[in-house]
Amino acid sequence: MGLLDYPELILLIPLIAYIVTRRGKEILTPTNWPVLGMLPGVLLNLHSPHEYLTQFFHDRGTTLEFKGPWLSGMNMVITCDPANIHHVFSRNFSNYPKGPEFRKIFNVLGDGIFGADFGLWEVHRKTTLSQLSHATFMAHLEATVWGKVEAGLLPLLRGFCERGDEFDLQDIFQRLTFDNICKLVLDHDPCSLSPGLPHIPCEKAFSAVGEPLLYRHVIPEFIWRIQARLNIGRERMLADAAHVFHEFIYSRIGLGSDEEGKGFNMLRAFERMYLDKNLGPAAGLRDFLKDTSLNLMFAGRDTTSTALTWLFWLVAQNPATEKKIREEIKIGLNQMNGNKWRYFTSQESNKLRYLHGALCESLRLYPPVAMEHKAPLRPDVLPSGHYLESNSRLIVSFYSVGRMESVWGKDCLEFKPERWISESGKIKHEPSYKFPAFNAGPRTCLGKEMAFIQMKMVAAAIIYHYHVELVEGHPVYPRDSVILQAKYGLKVRLSAVDS
């Protein structure tokens, strides 16, 4: 970690240097220092914030009362306790909206579903659910995903394999999911997954926003406000990304068509909902559709591509798992159709139980959305005994939940797809407060089934055709971001599998 990587340290460097000199390794634990609170330890571990928290939870218990610097307004409770998660996300859901702090930190999301509360969230949820349940949606999803696999993914992978190229598989997944979600939401395919891998600013902007949003959680607000005002540092990255989002989405909002109101068209459904519910003036419709589109694109691009990245990183280190998945594809779905690959339906994807288990295990260890932010409307006491004032900040670490022995047993750090398969061969279902990769309670991700279908289609197409080998010496670990992407990507090379 270099100082230039973390300019936020500059204002605090004299006191932090003094503490490090006097107390050494104690800085690695959340120690409550005079004036600075627990902030020094957090800042000096920003290169691995999720591991830092997980180690604390492992050593001292599953809930932390974090004390920020004096007068900073940064005091918060951080937890990975399933009982607390169940209480907040399900049993006492109405008392825990996202809250004003969330909207302040995640203002780039606007009035989309992720930042919405109460009535606005309800209409977002109902409209999204109606679209995902539309009679033609599943056929549209299958056609979109398989079309991109056939015309984009497999030809590119064939070229990489034939030339023996090393390439970034995470970048490939991000391009694929970006193209797919743009087609589903905007009815536009930007073709980022095409020969030459063209640079499309909007596709790259999604990767740029995760770090600034994480930093807004762990540095005093006045610092990131100053950076935003001066348009410097990570706040400039965030502002630039927001500008790119606006340009890309606004130019395509009016491209969709819905003849006679029939067929699947997601944006037209949200347009009708906005007007029917009188959510705002007609002049605000384009802004609302932009925010809605951006939120859906975040969900469709970042979470799915991140989950696929960690799946292949784990599978590449477990040859037995790779072999079992490939055998399941060939035998379970009878893919050996004259020794030719054939595409399968969303219904047939349910037969890929071992692949499903591998995906769940990857999501348990590396949930794409590593943390969640809540704020109680009224004072409350968590099951762990921690008191929360109204509008105080509560951070839930989804990343840490999957790594607690108290939750998943002594083998919690092992990658074991069998964990998710019962003795009868069926998929085991765990409660969302224990497995919150898709959030929990009423806010559980509405696109969960869609995500599993897309991930199975993409993963099956790759594993059936290729053996994925990690490039030796290439570092792979999570970014310091709210989205758990691999910091330096996933460099791999391919070798063809004999049919």
Side-chain angles (χ1 to χ4, degrees):
M1 179 185 70
L3 180 60
L4 294 178
D5 294 323
Y6 300 96
E8 294 81 1
L9 292 175
I10 293 174
L11 296 178
L12 302 171
I13 204 167
L15 283 172
I16 292 176
Y18 171 78
I19 290 172
V20 172
T21 302
R22 293 291 299 272
R23 303 301 295 270
K25 291 185 178 180
E26 288 186 27
I27 196 67
L28 299 176
T29 61
T31 302
N32 189 11
W33 302 99
V35 183
L36 294 178
M38 296 178 176
L39 185 62
V42 172
L43 290 178
L44 292 178
N45 287 277
L46 273 177
H47 57 291
S48 56
H50 305 296
E51 283 295 335
Y52 175 63
L53 269 180
T54 301
Q55 188 60 50
F56 169 86
F57 291 139
H58 182 270
D59 295 341
R60 300 193 188 181
T62 53
T63 304
L64 162 68
E65 290 189 72
F66 179 86
K67 300 297 182 182
W70 290 358
L71 305 178
S72 68
M74 285 184 62
N75 290 354
M76 67 186 84
V77 172
I78 310 175
T79 187
C80 70
D81 186 339
N84 288 344
I85 295 174
H86 186 48
H87 175 83
V88 170
F89 288 75
S90 297
R91 294 178 59 193
N92 206 12
F93 172 75
S94 62
N95 191 42
Y96 285 92
K98 291 297 183 76
E101 282 293 315
F102 181 96
R103 290 180 64 83
K104 184 194 305 178
I105 291 173
F106 290 87
N107 59 343
V108 68
L109 298 177
D111 288 326
I113 190 171
F114 289 143
D117 280 320
F118 311 117
L120 181 58
W121 172 74
E122 283 285 354
V123 293
H124 265 298
R125 182 178 182 278
K126 289 178 180 178
T127 307
T128 303
L129 186 60
S130 70
Q131 290 301 289
L132 298 182
S133 305
H134 194 282
T136 63
F137 173 75
M138 201 55 68
H140 190 50
L141 174 67
E142 290 177 13
T144 299
V145 176
W146 283 134
K148 184 58 61 174
V149 167
E150 182 176 20
L153 179 65
L154 290 180
L156 279 172
L157 297 187
R158 188 180 307 115
F160 290 142
C161 182
E162 290 173 352
R163 294 188 300 270
D165 291 349
E166 297 177 358
F167 66 98
D168 182 2
L169 188 56
Q170 177 172 253
D171 178 54
I172 297 299
F173 289 146
Q174 289 173 343
R175 291 169 178 273
L176 181 148
T177 53
F178 177 72
D179 288 353
N180 284 347
I181 197 62
C182 284
K183 182 62 178 175
L184 291 171
V185 174
L186 301 174
D187 195 25
H188 166 71
D189 184 354
C191 296
S192 67
L193 189 68
S194 57
L197 299 178
H199 177 79
I200 297 180
C202 185
E203 190 271 321
K204 295 306 176 191
F206 281 97
S207 296
V209 301
E211 287 187 22
L213 293 178
L214 176 68
Y215 277 69
R216 285 185 172 189
H217 284 83
V218 296
I219 63 174
E221 182 179 340
F222 79 90
I223 293 181
W224 64 259
R225 288 282 188 191
I226 291 173
Q227 290 183 326
R229 179 67 63 88
L230 299 176
N231 196 30
I232 60 174
R234 286 177 173 80
E235 288 300 314
R236 180 172 182 172
M237 293 168 54
L238 190 58
D240 289 346
H243 177 72
V244 170
F245 293 148
H246 294 179
E247 283 195 335
F248 182 86
I249 296 173
Y250 277 132
S251 66
R252 290 165 178 84
I253 282 177
L255 293 181
S257 62
D258 190 3
E259 296 181 5
E260 300 179 3
K262 298 179 181 179
F264 175 79
N265 191 302
M266 189 168 285
L267 275 192
R268 299 290 75 76
F270 279 99
E271 179 178 346
R272 290 193 296 271
M273 179 270 289
Y274 181 91
L275 297 174
D276 292 346
K277 298 289 184 180
N278 293 316
L279 294 181
L285 176 59
R286 290 184 74 250
D287 289 340
F288 175 78
L289 292 179
K290 184 268 296 179
D291 292 344
T292 298
S293 301
L294 179 60
N295 280 243
L296 295 173
M297 290 165 68
F298 259 113
R301 189 262 193 185
D302 281 353
T303 56
T304 305
S305 63
T306 300
L308 284 168
T309 297
W310 292 113
L311 170 72
F312 275 87
W313 184 70
L314 291 164
V315 168
Q317 298 174 84
N318 291 270
T321 296
E322 179 189 40
K323 182 179 179 181
K324 288 181 180 179
I325 293 173
R326 188 174 294 116
E327 289 176 348
E328 180 179 64
I329 297 168
K330 291 182 176 181
I331 299 173
L333 288 174
N334 191 26
Q335 296 287 57
M336 295 295 287
N337 181 23
N339 287 331
K340 294 182 179 179
W341 160 261
R342 76 167 175 86
Y343 301 123
F344 51 85
T345 66
S346 57
Q347 188 73 20
E348 287 178 306
S349 72
N350 293 327
K351 298 178 182 179
L352 297 176
R353 296 187 180 93
Y354 193 80
L355 176 55
H356 188 99
L359 282 164
C360 287
E361 192 69 342
S362 172
L363 289 163
R364 177 182 70 84
L365 291 167
Y366 296 97
V369 180
M371 55 188 286
E372 179 64 287
H373 185 139
K374 293 286 188 178
L377 288 174
R378 300 174 297 278
D380 195 18
V381 178
L382 298 176
S384 60
H386 294 80
Y387 175 76
L388 296 173
E389 297 179 353
S390 60
N391 293 319
S392 58
R393 198 185 303 185
L394 174 67
I395 303 296
V396 180
S397 173
F398 292 163
Y399 178 86
S400 299
V401 177
R403 294 166 178 267
M404 292 293 106
E405 288 187 11
S406 59
V407 180
W408 291 97
K410 292 187 179 299
D411 61 352
C412 63
L413 298 182
E414 296 180 28
F415 175 65
K416 296 174 65 174
E418 295 81 5
R419 195 189 306 272
W420 297 88
I421 302 174
S422 67
E423 293 182 1
S424 62
K426 296 182 178 180
I427 296 295
K428 289 182 180 177
H429 296 281
E430 296 287 357
S432 58
Y433 54 83
K434 180 181 177 182
F435 177 56
F438 293 94
N439 215 302
R443 279 195 181 261
T444 295
C445 176
L446 297 174
K448 178 179 178 179
E449 181 182 1
M450 180 181 81
F452 269 118
I453 291 169
Q454 182 174 199
M455 289 189 293
K456 287 179 182 178
M457 289 175 170
V458 174
I462 296 175
I463 293 174
Y464 179 88
H465 290 95
Y466 300 104
H467 167 67
V468 178
E469 179 185 350
L470 302 177
V471 172
E472 187 175 354
H474 177 71
V476 181
Y477 55 85
R479 289 179 62 191
D480 42 341
S481 169
V482 293
I483 302 295
L484 211 67
Q485 297 158 339
K487 186 173 181 68
Y488 299 109
L490 183 65
K491 289 292 184 69
V492 303
R493 62 174 65 88
L494 303 177
S495 57
V497 173
D498 294 332
S499 300

